[in-house]
Amino acid sequence: MNSRKIKWFFIKSVVLLLCMTPLFYLVYEGLNDGLGANPVETIHFTLGDWALRFLCLTLLLTPLRHYTGQSWINRFRRMLGLFGFFYASLHLSAYVILDIAFSWDFFLTDLAESPYILFGVATFVLMMPLAVTSPYKIRKTMGANWKKLHRLVYPAAILAVLHYFFLVKSDLTQPVLYAAIVGMLLLWRLGKWIRKNSVITQRI
Amino acid sequence: MLIKKPASIQNSEITPQPIFNSRRKIIKSAMGMSALLFLDKAQAGIKKYQQVPVGPYSSDLSVTDFEDVSSYTNYYEFTTNKTDSTVLAQALKIKPWQLEIAGEVEKPGIYNLEDILKPHPLEERIYRFRCVEAWSMVVPWIGFPLKALIKRFQPTSRARYVEFTTVYQPENMPGQRGRALNWPYTEGLRMDEAMHPLTLLATGMYDEDLPKQNGAPLRLVVPWKYGFKSIKAIVKINFLQSMPQTAWNKKAPQEYGFYANVNPEVPHPRWSQARERVLGASIFSSKRNTELFNGYADEVASLYKGMDLRKYF
C-alpha cells in the first residue's frame, strides 16, 4: 500500500468508528441499566433517529461537494449510506424481535392499525436494493442503471420522514425539522435537474 | 366487603400474595434499615402513609418500581419529553394550594387544600395504569374516592358532568409558554363515571406524597381510561349540565374522544391499542395484551351499556 492509501484507510477507519458510536452508546447504557423506564422505546427511537440522520447526511454530500468543489467528499457517500441502512436494519430488527416477537399476526394487526409501520417497512424495502448494489464491482457491472436505481433514496427519505410524522403524538418539532432538511436537499436536486433540462431544451 | 378480582388477568401475571407481601416487607424493612443508618431517628424508616389501609378495589398485581413510575411521565405543561419532566416539574409551586369548587353545586367556593382533604380517610389502591401511547404500569396510589368529595359539596340535580382543570403557572411550567396543547389542561367525566367507586383522587403513591412530576398535590386516577384522563395538579372542579371539551379532544378531536376508555379493539387512528409495553419488564419479554377497560370491565362495563364504543371512543 502506498502512503496515500494508508492515509485514507486510517481516515475511513476513524469515520467508521465515529458512525458506530450511537450503537456503542446503546450497548453501554443497556449493560449499565441506563436506558430509562422504557428501554425498548429508547433503543427503538435511538436507532430510528440515527437511520434518518445518516440518510440526511448521505443526501447532504452531493450539494456539499458541489459548493465546496472538494471531490474527496464523495469517498464517504457509500459508507454513510450504508450506515443509514445499518441503523435502519437494527431499528427494524428491534421492532421484529422486541415488539412483535416474530409474530406474523401482530405484524398484520400493526399494518392494519398503525400506518407508520407501513411507511417504515416501505422505507426499508426501498433501501434494500441500494445496500445490495453498493459494492464497487456491482456498481461497475450495472453501469448507468446503478445511478437510476439509486435515485430510490429520494422516495426512501420522504417515506422515512412520513413514518416519523405519523407516530408522533402532538409535538411535531422533530419530524418538521427532518422534513425541512430532506425537503431542502431534494429541492436542490430538483432545481439542478430543471436547470440542466432547460439548458438542453434551449440548445435544441 | 367482597373484593372482586378482575377475571381476565392471567394467573401467571400475578405474584402470589405471600411472596408479594414478603417482597414488599423485605423492601420496606431494607429501606428502614438503610434509613436508620443514614437519617435522623425521627425520620427512620417510617413512610408518611405506611399505615394507610388497603382500600376496596385494590389488587394484588405486582407493582412497578417507583424509580420507573417517577422518571417516565407525560407532563406537557413542562415538556413533551417523558424523562426531562422529572427535573423540570420540581419548579412547580404547590404550597399554598387552593381548589375551586364551581358550577352546579350547593357549596361552591375556593378552599384550601388542607380543608378539602381533612375529612377524607386515605386508602391505598393498587391500579393498572395504561397510557394511550401503549405502555402500562401498576401503581400503588394513596387517595380517596372522588365520590366522597362530590357528595360533600352536593351537586345540584342539573349537574351531569364534572370538569377538572390543571393549575396554570406559566412562570414555572415552561410547556405552558408553548402551544403543545391549549392551556390550562382540562379533563372531564360523566357524573356516573365520577361517582364510580374506582375513581380516585390521589395525593400520594408508594406510601409518600405524590412527586411533582406525578401530579402533586392532587390528581385524578381513572384506571379504566387512558392515562391522559387522569389529570394532574388539579385547581378546579366544575359541575356542568353539558359535556365539557377536554384538552386532547380540542387538540385532535378525531384522535381523542371524551370517553377515552381503554379498548384493544378500538385503535388510535394512527396506532394499534391491541397490546402494551409493561414498564419494568425485561426488554425481551413480550408485550401484554391490552384488556377491555384496562381489566376493570366487571366494574365499569355497565356504565356504557348500549353505547357504540367505536363511536364514543
Side-chain angles (χ1 to χ4, degrees):
Chain A
M1 263 197 275
N2 59 36
S3 67
R4 209 179 106 86
K5 269 192 175 167
I6 293 171
K7 188 184 91 178
W8 278 107
F9 178 78
F10 178 74
I11 293 174
K12 281 201 167 180
S13 304
V14 171
V15 175
L16 187 120
L17 279 174
L18 270 177
C19 294
M20 294 285 280
T21 46
L23 183 64
F24 292 151
Y25 162 83
L26 276 181
V27 171
Y28 175 81
E29 293 291 348
L31 294 174
N32 289 287
D33 202 19
L35 295 175
N38 194 345
V40 173
E41 186 190 66
T42 311
I43 293 169
H44 212 121
F45 286 1
T46 308
L47 293 171
D49 277 342
W50 282 103
L52 188 51
R53 283 170 196 160
F54 276 107
L55 204 54
C56 292
L57 276 174
T58 312
L59 287 173
L60 180 69
L61 293 190
T62 300
L64 205 63
R65 194 200 51 191
H66 178 85
Y67 287 116
T68 60
Q70 302 287 322
S71 59
W72 58 264
I73 288 173
N74 253 3
R75 288 169 179 266
F76 294 96
R77 208 164 58 162
R78 191 169 79 120
M79 191 201 273
L80 293 186
L82 279 173
F83 264 109
F85 182 73
F86 174 66
Y87 282 106
S89 308
L90 291 177
H91 179 62
L92 179 68
S93 306
Y95 170 71
V96 172
I97 299 167
L98 305 178
D99 198 306
I100 56 174
F102 302 100
S103 156
W104 186 248
D105 285 345
F106 289 155
F107 179 64
L108 291 181
T109 309
D110 269 355
L111 269 192
E113 298 185 344
S114 313
Y116 73 91
I117 298 286
L118 190 67
F119 287 113
V121 171
T123 309
F124 189 78
V125 167
L126 289 185
M127 286 173 87
M128 249 184 327
L130 310 189
V132 169
T133 58
S134 66
Y136 285 124
K137 274 186 188 167
I138 298 181
R139 181 177 178 170
K140 256 185 199 165
T141 341
M142 286 181 70
N145 287 329
W146 189 91
K147 211 172 178 183
K148 273 186 202 161
L149 177 73
H150 278 247
R151 289 197 184 116
L152 282 178
V153 73
Y154 309 143
I158 294 169
L159 286 172
V161 171
L162 283 175
H163 170 62
Y164 201 168
F165 258 103
F166 268 85
L167 73 88
V168 166
K169 199 161 96 188
S170 98
D171 185 3
L172 292 174
T173 319
Q174 287 287 320
V176 165
L177 189 74
Y178 283 107
I181 292 169
V182 168
M184 279 194 307
L185 293 171
L186 295 189
L187 280 175
W188 180 81
R189 286 169 168 83
L190 185 69
K192 221 175 98 175
W193 183 81
I194 290 172
R195 275 195 302 279
K196 193 177 127 194
N197 280 286
S198 62
V199 170
I200 294 168
T201 328
Q202 279 163 21
R203 277 182 192 160
I204 291 168
Chain B
M1 182 181 285
L2 181 73
I3 301 171
K4 255 197 211 167
K5 205 187 285 174
S8 45
I9 296 170
Q10 288 174 11
N11 279 330
S12 60
E13 287 182 75
I14 301 170
T15 313
Q17 187 73 43
I19 295 174
F20 177 71
N21 285 347
S22 66
R23 193 188 80 116
R24 288 203 95 194
K25 239 179 254 165
I26 292 163
I27 294 167
K28 279 186 177 180
S29 68
M31 289 202 291
M33 272 186 334
S34 52
L36 274 174
L37 289 171
F38 297 114
L39 297 173
D40 291 354
K41 269 183 197 164
Q43 294 173 283
I46 297 157
K47 291 197 165 189
K48 190 170 176 184
Y49 301 121
Q50 206 153 356
Q51 307 303 325
V52 166
V54 175
Y57 298 99
S58 188
S59 67
D60 49 9
L61 294 167
S62 160
V63 169
T64 308
D65 285 348
F66 171 80
E67 184 67 28
D68 289 338
V69 176
S70 60
S71 67
Y72 192 75
T73 56
N74 270 317
Y75 209 156
Y76 280 24
E77 279 82 347
F78 294 99
T79 168
T80 54
N81 181 303
K82 288 192 274 290
T83 318
D84 293 349
S85 51
T86 313
V87 177
L88 289 171
Q90 304 316 314
L92 181 70
K93 211 169 156 267
I94 58 169
K95 276 174 188 169
W97 194 271
Q98 291 180 317
L99 182 69
E100 183 183 354
I101 307 282
E104 297 290 348
V105 67
E106 298 294 345
K107 299 177 185 171
I110 296 173
Y111 300 88
N112 288 324
L113 183 63
E114 301 78 55
D115 300 326
I116 290 283
L117 300 180
K118 211 179 285 168
H120 299 289
L122 296 174
E123 52 188 80
E124 183 181 65
R125 298 272 185 102
I126 297 175
Y127 281 164
R128 285 191 193 287
F129 182 100
R130 168 62 157 81
C131 179
V132 75
E133 296 167 4
W135 52 266
S136 72
M137 53 195 186
V138 176
V139 186
W141 302 106
I142 301 288
F144 58 93
L146 172 64
K147 180 183 182 173
L149 180 128
I150 292 179
K151 277 186 172 167
R152 197 172 132 212
F153 290 94
Q154 300 167 8
T156 69
S157 58
R158 286 186 297 274
R160 291 183 54 224
Y161 293 89
V162 190
E163 180 190 53
F164 305 85
T165 308
T166 294
V167 71
Y168 185 65
Q169 243 179 56
E171 68 279 15
N172 300 323
M173 298 173 125
Q176 285 185 335
R177 305 198 286 265
R179 290 160 186 264
L181 290 168
N182 276 315
W183 309 114
Y185 192 91
T186 58
E187 256 307 335
L189 293 174
R190 219 168 54 188
M191 200 55 152
D192 57 345
E193 297 175 323
M195 293 293 282
H196 194 280
L198 275 173
T199 307
L200 201 71
L201 273 177
T203 59
M205 63 184 211
Y206 297 85
D207 290 343
E208 293 284 7
D209 281 328
L210 281 173
K212 287 180 178 175
Q213 65 274 24
N214 292 91
L218 186 71
R219 72 171 293 167
L220 187 69
V221 180
V222 195
W224 71 92
K225 293 175 179 284
Y226 291 119
F228 67 85
K229 293 295 287 184
S230 294
I231 185 171
K232 293 169 172 174
I234 301 168
V235 290
K236 186 176 176 185
I237 298 180
N238 194 11
F239 294 88
L240 299 169
Q241 291 187 53
S242 53
M243 185 185 279
Q245 254 208 313
T246 61
W248 277 102
N249 184 248
K250 270 186 248 176
K251 171 83 185 178
Q254 71 287 0
E255 299 193 341
Y256 306 97
F258 175 81
Y259 289 96
N261 292 318
V262 175
N263 190 338
E265 301 289 318
V266 181
H268 182 282
R270 292 183 289 128
W271 59 81
S272 169
Q273 295 290 20
R275 298 182 307 135
E276 64 203 38
R277 169 75 52 198
V278 180
L279 297 193
S282 145
I283 66 165
F284 293 107
S285 68
S286 56
K287 284 175 147 183
R288 180 178 179 277
N289 287 330
T290 294
E291 295 175 66
L292 179 61
F293 299 116
N294 205 22
Y296 299 95
D298 285 351
E299 288 84 359
V300 301
S302 59
L303 296 176
Y304 311 102
K305 225 168 135 185
M307 274 174 71
D308 179 356
L309 296 177
R310 283 180 186 276
K311 190 178 168 200
Y312 299 102
F313 59 88

